[in-house]
Each structure stands twice: as structure tokens, then as C-alpha cells.
Amino acid sequence: MRKKQNILVLGGKGKTGRRVASRLIEKGQTVRIGSRSEKPSFDWEDPLTWKGALQGMESVYITFQPDLAVPGAKEAIEGFTNLAVKSGVRKVVLLSGKGEQEAEECERIVMNSGLDWTIVRASWFNQNFSESFFLDPILAGHVALPKNEAQVPYVDANDIADVVVAALLDDKHNNEIYELTGPRTLTFSDVVREISEATGREIQFTPISMEEYNAMMKEFNLPDDYLWLINYLFEEVLVESNSIVTNDIEKVLGRKPIDFTTYAHEVAKSHVWDGVGMERV
């Protein structure tokens, strides 16, 4: 195990970052949150902020927004990793996407940097349905999505955070690639049924085509780069090769991953999924 470290957590207010930061603080580590609103601030779109965020840091948890697959991500990861080396960082843990070729190019940059590294490839998050882009349709009580045939081994952000913390604090995880999934696969209609049962609400699911989904997103005037990313994720990530369930969470943590049913019932208790117009507790 590494001694007490200074650790930079990029995206430290996001789905995995805030969970990683809180766990590290509980374990007595010195944590710097990488965020535009922090001091020193960190902004992926402003390389001038990178040096200040890296100063004095020994390890870094790297998350890239919105996704490692987007144009410009590779150049940003390369520039940041080179600066991390010059700044005296010794270890990086990179959050990557499972089954994304562009993300693997970013992984190779980190792996060839000369730093100690761990790559954490994650399947789609459970929390996409409670903390991200699938929340609004669930609140509205009607979810319409394409690719319902896709079998997705959703992984919980808490499991990802536990693996990341283990990788940051224990050198036995150096130079390892972990592929994180939940214990089983679900389709979108399976997910909606699970959330409906957990909340006691009627939530409808309608399978639609990718063309219909794009038209729906354009009606909401979503930006082109967001549309590109959503199309990429549906077309390139929701494929059969990404439906494989792994045992890497159990290998790292010595326990089974969190099941979607457990996640759904825990979130339901928080009233995050109370429908539009329903009283919030």
C-alpha cells in the first residue's frame, strides 16, 4: 500500500469523481478536486489551468468529459499526461470506456508515458438513469429509446469508485487493465421495468428507431456534438461484444458487484425518481 499521498481527482464533482474523492478523504489521503469551480481551477478546454492543478500532486484519477471518444480527447490526454510526467506525478488511473476504440488510443498514451498506471474500462453506469441523461424521461413516466435488443451489463458508480481507490492506493494494481461490469445484462425495457417496480410508478417503455431518436433529440435543440456522442454510444458501444459480463470487480474488491435491482431500490428510497408533479420528501 502507498503511504499518504496528494491525489488529484479530475471530474471530482461528477458521478465517479465525487465518490472517489470522498473515499480517499475517508482514508486520510490529501485530495485536490479537479473542477472549473475549484481553486486552483481545472478545465479540460483550458490547458493553462492544468499546471496549477498538477502542482504537488503524486497521483491522478483522470476522467475526461464528455467522453474519450470525442474529437480532441486524444490530444488533450496526451498534453495532460506529458505535463503530469514533468510535474512529478508517479501514478495515474484512467477511467475509460469498454469497447471504445478511440478510448483505447487514449489508454495507450497513458500506458506508454513511463508513469505507473491502471486502466479502468467501465460499462454503462447504473447512475445514467438517476444522475444523467436518462433521468428526465423516467421522471416523465415515458422512456423511448432505440437498440432495445442490446444486452448491457450496467455497472454501479460505487463499484467503479471502489476499484479506482484500490488502484490509487495499492501498487499491486499497477499496469493492470480492469473491465468493470455488473453481474448480469439488461435491456432498456428490463431497466424501465426494474425502476417501475422499485418506485411503484407506472413507467412506459417504447422501442424506437435510431432515426426517430435523433429526430426527437433535434426537437429539443440539443447541440450537434451531443448528438454525435449519443449516436456514437448507441452505434459503437451497444454491440454484442460489449455484453460480456466480467469478474474484475470481484477480482479487485473480493466481493460481487452491485446488482441493478439493489441500485434501483436504493435510489427509489431517495425519491430521485418521484414523478413530475409528485411531492418530493
Side-chain angles (χ1 to χ4, degrees):
M1 295 284 286
R2 287 176 180 257
K3 66 181 190 305
K4 184 174 180 178
Q5 303 176 67
N6 296 324
I7 303 175
L8 172 62
V9 178
L10 299 185
K13 296 181 177 179
K15 286 191 287 294
T16 65
R18 74 174 189 273
R19 290 172 165 90
V20 168
S22 66
R23 284 160 169 76
L24 290 171
I25 291 167
E26 287 172 6
K27 292 179 179 293
Q29 303 298 317
T30 302
V31 175
R32 175 178 291 163
I33 302 297
S35 170
R36 285 192 293 265
S37 60
E38 294 290 311
K39 291 185 179 181
S41 67
F42 178 88
D43 185 350
W44 276 115
E45 296 181 2
D46 183 4
L48 294 177
T49 65
W50 300 354
K51 186 175 181 180
L54 282 165
Q55 187 172 8
M57 296 294 103
E58 299 160 90
S59 298
V60 185
Y61 174 47
I62 301 177
T63 65
F64 185 84
Q65 294 298 322
D67 193 276
L68 287 175
V70 302
K74 180 180 175 182
E75 291 76 14
I77 293 295
E78 187 166 32
F80 179 81
T81 302
N82 288 339
L83 188 58
V85 173
K86 293 175 184 175
S87 300
V89 169
R90 300 199 306 268
K91 167 83 186 236
V92 294
V93 176
L94 175 69
L95 179 66
S96 186
K98 191 168 172 283
E100 297 181 18
Q101 184 178 342
E102 291 83 354
E104 290 179 16
E105 293 180 11
C106 296
E107 294 173 9
R108 284 191 284 275
I109 291 168
V110 169
M111 293 161 68
N112 294 327
S113 65
L115 298 168
D116 291 335
W117 55 265
T118 306
I119 306 296
V120 176
R121 293 177 183 161
S123 184
W124 277 24
F125 298 2
N126 292 343
Q127 281 72 15
N128 286 346
F129 297 94
S130 54
E131 301 176 21
S132 194
F133 47 94
F134 294 138
L135 174 59
D136 285 345
I138 288 170
L139 291 176
H142 186 203
V143 180
L145 290 170
K147 299 289 287 278
N148 188 46
E149 72 279 6
Q151 296 281 343
V152 184
Y154 293 99
V155 64
D156 200 89
N158 291 294
D159 283 340
I160 298 170
D162 285 343
V163 170
V164 168
V165 169
L168 286 166
L169 299 184
D170 196 327
D171 287 340
K172 73 180 182 182
H173 301 294
N174 288 357
N175 305 335
E176 294 284 354
I177 298 175
Y178 295 124
E179 295 201 338
L180 307 188
T181 73
R184 61 189 170 112
T185 62
L186 298 94
T187 64
F188 288 128
S189 55
D190 292 334
V191 164
V192 171
R193 185 179 64 254
E194 293 252 359
I195 295 173
S196 183
E197 290 174 356
T199 58
R201 291 179 54 214
E202 183 178 346
I203 306 171
Q204 297 178 329
F205 176 79
T206 304
I208 59 174
S209 68
M210 200 68 219
E211 291 72 23
E212 290 171 307
Y213 193 52
N214 275 313
M216 193 166 68
M217 289 192 291
K218 286 175 182 175
E219 283 181 15
F220 286 100
N221 296 315
L222 296 172
D224 288 342
D225 55 351
Y226 181 85
L227 293 177
W228 180 91
L229 177 59
I230 292 297
N231 274 270
Y232 173 87
L233 293 174
F234 273 88
E235 299 290 350
E236 302 294 328
V237 179
L238 294 185
V239 296
E240 188 175 351
S241 60
N242 271 339
S243 66
I244 298 169
V245 172
T246 73
N247 68 345
D248 282 2
I249 287 174
E250 188 170 3
K251 184 165 71 175
V252 175
L253 302 178
R255 62 165 175 80
K256 299 285 187 183
I258 296 168
D259 185 76
F260 193 92
T261 301
T262 303
Y263 152 80
H265 281 274
E266 285 300 311
V267 173
K269 292 176 190 174
S270 73
H271 300 280
V272 165
W273 285 325
D274 285 357
V276 173
M278 291 178 68
E279 185 178 349
R280 301 287 178 106
V281 177

